[in-house]
């Protein structure tokens, strides 16, 4: 029993020995065992506690992502610049390894440190300050870092720019009176800065100081043109001599699309100071829309930050110095009858901190019309109703943001236009044409809009807002072929009940055949509401079940058919980035219908940009040059119209008489264009030369295309795809600009609306078959024309992809009123395309 006590309570061995044992030997050996067991148990207990604690704090914490991110210490970084008063400029300050630089930098850094001492909070978390550069003036550039540990993270919001500035200014005030030998600091700034942009001035890695001269010089991102490394932090400090500004253009620029991972940030300063940012960019830019920036002074800072897994080629850049006066010169008094004004350095980004004033003065009795052909002055965080940063001001109004149509008319024979850019963020600016006109007859032989714009007389009261301010559509007495909307507008009667709210107040869609509580089938049939998605086909065309989450077993012409035979009753299920078919066949073969280039919207004109329609192809016939259009379906297949090949002449059907050009924009420029001969022409066997029914042909190329940024396929819609009436799509081609005119040199684009089939049939006097569809504008003016045939009608879907709805086929004349373009309906030809190409 007692020995049993030993075993249970070894730690009391001494007591045991004294109280109960008589045999010393026995007692000693028993005692040893007891100690060993005791130590072992103790170690085990301690180990278990330690293991539990480790699990609790290390592993358990990490299970919860919010907890772990909340527990990361925070780095608060502020950067800015300051003027040094009692300090003569020394050229050696520009060399960060010179003793002069180091000496002054160190002095300033310790002064900054002292200034933060006046603030209890800043003092506690201050880590260091770094002076990174000096420029004439004398201006010093710096950053200061504060590290806030995990336990104090709730203090982070207190680290504001205001607090930093307050502390610095208080410190500066104080030291001015107390220590007169200090460097005198004035006009200090501080902006909260991404800590990844803080660099030490003598950093070895990816840090460059460049001197801009009148000559072009270049630099590139690391790893260019193969790929930039991930996690790079690069910085280029660029300087020019005094009285110069710096321009940097990027002939090639391709950074990852997501700016939160990788980006290039450009500053009008030598500090990464947001208040002096020129721009932040990522993505890919086409050669027709290069990035080009200008500084306001003789310094510029470029930062490149990459983080993500995705690596892109990067950029190459050309920089040079421009004499300050030549850039700063803008505005003036203009007295010509017409001319053009634009933002400084247009089409490059305008420089920060500029003001220009144009006074356009025409002979008395006349007035001035000003039409902006391009306007883009976008800045983060700007309310375009106030335009408190960069703006154009005219006639008492300020304009900013991106404007597609801006036309102004003066009230007298003079108009003053002011341009203002502040210190941060610039953009492409604007371009405007001005002209004098006679107010007695502002638009000879045309209709004068309130805005002063002139439009063709026929466009008045045609149901379309051609003026942009509706002035051509008010005070109209509706004609016999027109419907009088409740709001006073007139619209063609044909538009009543076409499911498009043409009036704007929906009055053209109100009194349609079905009652309020009824469902209208796509073929116009009226049904009770209950038929929708009840799992039964009630409308003859099945449209009541076409867009239901689940209508199992229903397979109508509106259902998407999966490869395994399953039917999906969802509108436009293919390539919408959602797997609808169990076998995922609705999302396979979806590498189509995207355009990689970031495009700048050019307002007004209808010239397409390079890479804007990468699936557009130009087909050249013999020595006649461009004759028809086509679209890219795959590396080997093009889609076009039968009537280009099946004609009276046997020549047209011969593949060797044709050449295809992909990646083209200008018919006279062939760089990066891929020319392919045609191996085989497959016209639709049911193509009818008289009626243009089945006007579709497939072209097999003799060599596959190599896809690039400006050569890519468009998505083909499944046969159940719906392009609803009223949808805006684009038709593109090098066809004639006017009826009877020659083909265009530059690729053209026109926005057209899908027209309801009943209307289409009426306006074409019953000439359309179910393989055709109308698209255009019944008011005329915008349409495809001779030479566009075979080209695509491209429609952008919410899923972010372009689908080809039609093939340019025929029309009565071009752009005539009530005569829209007629297109081959791709959905109806889809099965045949698949049969012939496997696509
Ligand atoms: N058939 C014409 C051609 O060969 C295209 C006609 C398109 N016409 C129209 N008004 N949309 O190029």
């Amino acid at each position: 029993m007692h020995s049993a006590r030993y075993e249970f309570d070894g730690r009391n061995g001494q007591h045991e020995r004294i109280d109960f044992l008589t045999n010393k030997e026995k007692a000693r050996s028993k005692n040893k065992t007891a100690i060993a067991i005791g130590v072992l148990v103790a170690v085990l207990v301690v180990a278990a506690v330690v293991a539990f604690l480790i699990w609790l704090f290390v592993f358990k914490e990490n299970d919860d992502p919010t907890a772990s991110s909340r527990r990361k210490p925070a780095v608060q970084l502020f950067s800015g610049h300051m003027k040094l008063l009692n300090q003569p400029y020394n050229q050696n300050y520009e060399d960060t390894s010179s003793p002069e630089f180091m000496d002054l930098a160190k002095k300033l850094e310790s002064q900054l440190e002292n200034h933060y001492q006046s603030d209890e909070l800043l003092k506690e978390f201050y880590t260091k300050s770094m002076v990174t550069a000096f420029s004439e003036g004398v201006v010093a550039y710096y950053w200061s870092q504060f590290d806030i540990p995990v336990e104090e993270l709730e203090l982070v919001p207190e680290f504001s720019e205001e607090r930093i500035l307050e502390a610095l200014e208080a410190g500066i005030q104080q030291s001015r009176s107390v220590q007169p030998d200090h460097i005198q600091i004035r006009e200090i700034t501080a902006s909260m800065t991404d800590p990844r942009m803080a660099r030490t001035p003598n950093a070895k890695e990816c840090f460059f100081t460049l001197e801009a001269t009148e000559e072009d010089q270049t630099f590139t991102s690391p790893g260019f043109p193969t790929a930039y490394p991930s996690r790079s932090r690069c910085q280029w400090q660029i300087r020019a001599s005094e009285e110069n500004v710096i321009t940097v253009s990027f002939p090639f620029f391709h950074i990852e699309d997501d700016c939160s991972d990788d980006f290039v940030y450009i500053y009008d300063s030598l500090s990464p100071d947001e208040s002096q940012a020129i721009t932040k960019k990522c993505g890919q830019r086409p050669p027709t829309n290069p990035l080009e920036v200008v500084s306001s002074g003789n310094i510029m800072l470029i930062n490149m930050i990459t983080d993500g897994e995705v690596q892109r080629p990067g950029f190459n850049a050309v920089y040079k110095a421009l004499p300050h006066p030549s850039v700063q010169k803008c505005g003036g008094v203009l007295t010509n009858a017409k001319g053009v004004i634009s933002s400084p350095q247009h089409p490059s980004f305008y420089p920060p901190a500029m003001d220009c004033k144009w006074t356009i003065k025409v002979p008395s009795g006349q007035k001035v019309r000003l039409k902006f052909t391009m306007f883009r002055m976008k800045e983060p965080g700007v309310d375009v109703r106030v335009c408190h940063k960069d703006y154009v001001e005219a006639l008492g109004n300020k304009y900013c943001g991106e404007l597609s149509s801006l036309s102004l008319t003066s009230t007298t024979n003079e108009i003053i236009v002011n341009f203002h850019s502040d210190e941060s963020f610039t953009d492409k600016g604007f371009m405007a044409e001005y002209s004098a006109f006679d107010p007695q007859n502002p638009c000879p032989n045309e209709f004068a809009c309130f805005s002063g714009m002139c439009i063709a007389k026929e466009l008045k009261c045609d149901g379309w807002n051609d003026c942009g301010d509706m002035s051509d559509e008010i005070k109209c007495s509706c004609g016999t072929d027109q419907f009088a909307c409740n709001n006073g507008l007139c619209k063609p009667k044909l538009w009543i009940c076409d499911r498009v709210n043409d009036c704007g107040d929906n009055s053209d869609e109100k009194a349609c055949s079905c009652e309020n509580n009824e469902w209208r089938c796509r073929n116009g049939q009226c049904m009770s509401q209950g038929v929708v998605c009840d799992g039964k086909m009630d409308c003859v065309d099945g449209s009541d079940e076409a867009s239901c989450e689940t209508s199992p077993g229903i397979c109508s012409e509106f259902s998407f058919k999966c490869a395994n035979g399953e039917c999906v009753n969802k509108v436009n299920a293919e390539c919408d980035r959602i797997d609808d078919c169990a076998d995922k066949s609705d999302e396979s073969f979806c590498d189509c219908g995207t355009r990689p280039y970031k495009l700048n919207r050019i307002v007004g004109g209808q010239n397409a940009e390079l890479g804007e329609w990468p699936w557009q192809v130009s087909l050249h016939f013999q020595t006649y040059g461009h004759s028809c259009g086509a679209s890219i379906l795959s590396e080997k297949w093009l889609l076009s119209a039968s009537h280009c090949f099946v004609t009276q002449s046997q020549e047209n059907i011969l593949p060797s008489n044709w050449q295809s050009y992909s990646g083209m924009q200008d018919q006279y420029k062939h760089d990066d264009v891929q020319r392919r001969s045609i191996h085989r022409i497959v016209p639709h066997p049911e193509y009818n030369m008289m009626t243009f029914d089945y006007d579709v042909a497939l072209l097999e190329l003799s060599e596959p295309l190599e896809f690039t940024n400006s050569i890519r396929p468009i998505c083909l819609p499944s046969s159940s795809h719906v392009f609803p009436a009223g949808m805006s799509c684009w038709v593109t081609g090098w066809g004639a600009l006017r009826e009877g005119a020659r083909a265009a040199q530059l690729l053209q684009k026109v926005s057209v609306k899908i027209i309801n089939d009943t209307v289409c049939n009426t306006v074409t006097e019953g000439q359309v078959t179910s393989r055709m569809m109308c698209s255009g504008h019944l008011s005329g003016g915008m349409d495809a024309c001779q030479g566009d045939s075979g080209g695509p009608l491209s429609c952008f879907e919410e899923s972010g992809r372009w689908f080809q709805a039609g093939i340019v086929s025929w029309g009565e004349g071009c752009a005539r009123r009530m005569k829209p373009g007629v297109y081959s309906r791709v959905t109806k030809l889809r099965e045949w395309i698949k049969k012939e190409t496997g696509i």
Side-chain angles (χ1 to χ4, degrees):
M1 220 178 118
H2 285 163
S3 67
R5 255 189 84 185
Y6 268 115
E7 285 174 27
F8 279 120
D9 195 357
R11 277 165 295 176
N12 291 335
Q14 281 202 331
H15 275 137
E16 300 291 332
R17 193 181 62 196
I18 295 161
D19 294 343
F20 305 105
L21 296 179
T22 48
N23 185 325
K24 273 191 177 176
E25 284 290 321
K26 205 175 160 190
R28 207 174 290 145
S29 92
K30 268 196 180 178
N31 216 1
K32 265 192 191 159
T33 323
I35 289 170
I37 291 171
V39 169
L40 190 71
V41 170
V43 167
L44 283 176
V45 168
V46 171
V49 169
V50 169
F52 174 73
L53 290 178
I54 289 176
W55 172 79
L56 189 70
F57 287 107
V58 179
F59 297 105
K60 182 86 166 65
E61 281 297 310
N62 287 350
D63 284 352
D64 175 359
T66 52
S68 71
S69 63
R70 222 190 298 128
R71 293 200 157 268
K72 255 195 253 146
V75 177
Q76 295 296 96
L77 192 96
F78 295 85
S79 70
H81 59 89
M82 63 193 109
K83 243 187 153 117
L84 310 181
L85 285 196
N86 50 351
Q87 205 64 37
Y89 194 66
N90 182 330
Q91 204 60 37
N92 291 343
Y93 289 157
E94 293 180 14
D95 171 8
T96 52
S97 57
S98 69
E100 289 84 353
F101 175 93
M102 291 203 245
D103 195 49
L104 186 58
K106 199 172 279 151
K107 240 167 138 183
L108 265 180
E109 284 158 12
S110 86
Q111 254 177 258
L112 288 174
E113 173 159 7
N114 279 336
H115 296 336
Y116 293 122
Q117 297 305 318
S118 60
D119 185 307
E120 286 304 314
L121 176 85
L122 302 183
K123 178 165 110 186
E124 195 178 339
F125 300 106
Y126 175 77
T127 308
K128 63 175 163 192
S129 288
M130 188 76 74
V131 171
T132 54
F134 295 103
S135 66
E136 295 97 342
V138 174
V139 182
Y141 303 86
Y142 79 99
W143 51 259
S144 297
Q145 183 181 337
F146 300 85
D147 287 274
I148 298 127
V150 171
E151 317 80 66
E152 313 269 8
L153 285 181
E154 64 281 359
L155 294 175
V156 166
E158 299 197 21
F159 287 78
S160 63
E161 292 173 1
E162 292 73 34
R163 183 148 193 170
I164 302 289
L165 274 178
E166 229 166 75
L168 287 172
E169 267 153 16
I172 292 166
Q173 281 290 332
Q174 219 170 20
S175 63
R176 202 184 298 168
S177 48
V178 186
Q179 292 148 307
D181 59 321
H182 260 203
I183 305 166
Q184 282 190 36
I185 300 174
R186 290 283 185 284
E187 298 166 31
I188 191 159
T189 71
S191 302
M192 199 176 284
T193 304
D194 183 334
R196 292 176 295 178
M197 281 190 271
R199 307 276 300 178
T200 52
N202 288 310
K204 293 275 174 304
E205 250 174 74
C206 224
F207 178 80
F208 308 93
T209 49
L210 309 175
E211 184 71 36
T213 63
E214 277 154 46
E215 306 290 309
D216 279 352
Q217 297 180 78
T218 60
F219 64 96
T220 67
S221 55
F224 181 82
T226 314
Y228 51 71
S230 63
R231 313 212 113 259
S232 37
R233 310 272 180 269
C234 294
Q235 195 167 86
W236 293 265
Q237 283 189 359
I238 312 178
R239 293 165 191 271
S241 51
E242 259 181 303
E243 295 304 309
N244 278 289
V245 300
I246 299 163
T247 73
V248 181
S249 64
F250 297 83
F252 186 93
F253 188 95
H254 187 179
I255 308 286
E256 195 197 330
D257 265 339
D258 185 350
C259 273
S260 59
D261 285 339
D262 301 349
F263 57 86
V264 169
Y265 217 141
I266 306 175
Y267 300 89
D268 193 36
S269 166
L270 290 176
S271 268
D273 177 348
E274 171 129 6
S275 66
Q276 306 228 287
I278 293 177
T279 192
K280 177 185 181 185
K281 287 277 176 262
C282 65
Q284 185 171 199
R285 301 183 72 95
T288 45
N289 182 27
L291 175 63
E292 205 174 328
V293 292
V294 189
S295 65
S296 68
N298 62 341
I299 47 169
M300 190 187 276
L301 183 75
I302 299 182
N303 269 281
M304 172 166 160
I305 302 291
T306 74
D307 262 356
E309 295 298 296
V310 195
Q311 283 132 44
R312 302 282 185 221
F315 64 77
N316 65 7
V318 180
Y319 66 103
K320 74 170 177 194
L322 287 179
H324 191 272
S326 77
V327 172
Q328 256 6 48
K329 212 178 79 196
C330 64
V333 179
L334 305 166
T335 51
N336 290 343
K338 59 161 113 188
V340 173
I341 60 172
S342 64
S343 49
Q345 301 298 110
H346 185 85
S348 161
F349 278 42
Y350 52 79
M354 273 200 75
D355 282 282
C356 310
K357 177 182 175 182
W358 292 270
T359 306
I360 305 171
K361 206 171 170 161
V362 295
S364 63
Q366 298 199 340
K367 286 186 178 179
V368 190
R369 180 180 290 137
L370 189 63
K371 188 166 186 262
F372 289 82
T373 50
M374 131 113 212
F375 191 103
R376 200 169 189 276
M377 292 175 69
K378 267 177 131 168
E379 276 186 84
V382 166
D383 180 347
V384 293
R385 291 166 303 185
V386 186
C387 298
H388 68 286
K389 287 170 70 61
D390 302 358
Y391 58 80
V392 164
E393 187 182 23
L395 302 173
N397 287 316
K398 282 184 182 168
Y399 302 93
C400 62
E402 184 167 16
L403 301 172
S404 58
S405 60
L406 176 61
S407 288
L408 305 171
T409 321
S410 66
T411 46
T412 65
N413 66 331
E414 186 182 278
I415 187 168
I416 293 173
V417 182
N418 286 306
F419 167 87
H420 170 77
S421 69
D422 69 353
E423 278 84 28
S424 70
F425 291 102
T426 78
D427 207 332
K428 287 229 160 196
F430 73 87
M431 173 116 157
E433 296 164 359
Y434 65 88
S435 55
F437 69 93
D438 173 7
Q440 302 308 313
N441 184 13
C443 297
N445 300 319
E446 286 192 307
F447 174 76
C449 304
F450 284 177
S451 65
M453 226 172 84
C454 303
I455 58 165
K457 274 210 175 90
E458 300 75 55
L459 298 180
K460 178 160 168 54
C461 296
D462 68 346
W464 293 87
N465 175 11
D466 302 282
C467 283
D469 59 5
M470 275 288 179
S471 55
D472 56 323
E473 294 300 318
I474 47 176
K475 293 198 206 130
C476 299
S477 58
C478 303
T480 51
D481 58 345
Q482 286 181 317
F483 170 77
C485 303
N486 289 353
N487 59 12
L489 297 180
C490 300
K491 298 282 171 182
K493 277 210 173 119
L494 287 166
W495 295 358
I496 301 173
C497 298
D498 66 349
R499 299 174 160 229
V500 180
N501 174 9
D502 299 289
C503 287
D505 61 0
N506 213 30
S507 51
D508 55 321
E509 296 301 311
K510 264 199 187 124
C512 298
S513 49
C514 297
E515 297 292 316
N516 257 347
N517 55 353
E518 280 185 322
W519 161 259
R520 194 155 167 254
C521 305
R522 283 200 201 142
N523 62 4
Q525 245 183 314
C526 297
M527 292 276 167
S528 77
Q529 276 294 351
V531 306
V532 183
C533 299
D534 64 352
K536 285 201 303 283
M537 245 164 80
D538 300 283
C539 299
V540 177
D541 60 7
S543 52
D544 54 322
E545 301 297 321
S547 40
C548 308
E549 285 293 308
T550 47
S551 282
I554 299 250
C555 266
S556 72
E557 63 168 308
F558 301 112
S559 319
F560 177 82
K561 318 258 179 333
C562 309
N564 61 8
E566 198 188 320
C567 282
V568 172
N569 289 301
K570 170 182 174 188
V571 191
N572 304 345
E574 77 272 27
C575 300
D576 66 349
R577 299 171 205 261
I578 296 164
D579 290 331
D580 298 292
C581 298
D583 62 4
K584 302 196 173 157
S585 53
D586 57 317
E587 295 301 314
S588 39
F589 309 110
C590 289
D591 192 9
C592 57
T594 56
R595 39 190 196 193
Y597 277 147
K598 281 220 170 2
L599 298 153
N600 209 44
R601 232 180 297 156
I602 298 288
V603 172
Q606 289 296 330
N607 290 343
E609 290 184 56
L610 181 66
E612 192 172 358
W613 310 101
W615 39 84
Q616 173 79 50
V617 175
S618 167
L619 298 176
H620 286 206
F621 179 65
Q622 290 179 335
T623 53
Y624 295 97
H626 173 87
S627 300
C628 267
S631 57
I632 300 175
L633 302 185
S634 71
E635 283 99 338
K636 281 225 95 160
W637 286 99
L638 306 183
L639 185 66
S640 186
S642 251
H643 82 256
C644 294
F645 312 99
V646 182
T647 59
Q648 302 296 351
S649 151
Q650 287 306 303
E651 302 274 278
N652 291 60
I653 194 73
L654 264 184
S656 57
N657 279 334
W658 293 89
Q659 290 290 341
S660 73
Y661 293 85
S662 303
M664 186 187 252
Q665 186 236 358
D666 184 330
Q667 286 284 340
Y668 297 137
K669 283 199 192 128
H670 285 201
D671 356 319
D672 302 320
V673 166
Q674 293 181 22
R675 187 176 82 163
R676 295 287 183 274
S677 9
I678 310 295
H679 172 65
R680 193 156 64 101
I681 298 175
V682 190
H684 197 288
E686 285 175 72
Y687 168 62
N688 183 322
M689 267 166 80
M690 297 301 294
T691 60
F692 277 43
D693 204 4
Y694 292 98
D695 192 8
V696 57
L698 286 158
L699 310 180
E700 191 181 353
L701 301 177
S702 42
E703 290 290 323
L705 289 167
E706 212 176 286
F707 291 162
T708 66
N709 288 329
S710 43
I711 303 180
R712 311 217 66 215
I714 188 168
C715 296
L716 279 179
S718 70
S719 46
S720 61
H721 200 108
V722 183
F723 297 101
M727 180 179 196
S728 286
C729 298
W730 291 84
V731 58
T732 45
W734 287 270
L737 297 178
R738 255 170 295 110
E739 222 179 294
R742 281 189 303 132
Q745 179 187 338
L746 301 179
L747 180 61
Q748 301 292 302
K749 60 174 178 191
V750 173
S751 166
V752 286
K753 282 190 176 192
I754 305 280
I755 291 172
N756 156 312
D757 294 337
T758 328
V759 175
C760 178
N761 205 39
T762 314
V763 292
T764 57
E765 284 135 29
Q767 293 182 70
V768 296
T769 68
S770 66
R771 272 76 52 191
M772 301 177 191
M773 61 192 278
C774 286
S775 188
H777 300 276
L778 295 179
S779 57
M782 285 183 274
D783 191 8
C785 202
Q786 257 51 46
D788 288 322
S789 282
L793 175 66
S794 311
C795 304
F796 188 67
E797 288 290 359
E798 263 166 55
S799 59
R801 299 183 189 283
W802 290 86
F803 283 80
Q804 182 165 354
I807 304 166
V808 179
S809 181
W810 61 277
E812 204 180 305
C814 298
R816 296 190 191 166
R817 278 160 67 71
M818 292 294 176
K819 296 294 168 198
V822 183
Y823 296 76
S824 311
R825 192 189 285 268
V826 176
T827 52
K828 288 281 179 199
L829 306 164
R830 184 68 186 91
E831 293 305 314
W832 176 77
I833 297 173
K834 181 151 183 79
K835 192 178 109 237
E836 293 297 328
T837 63
I839 301 164

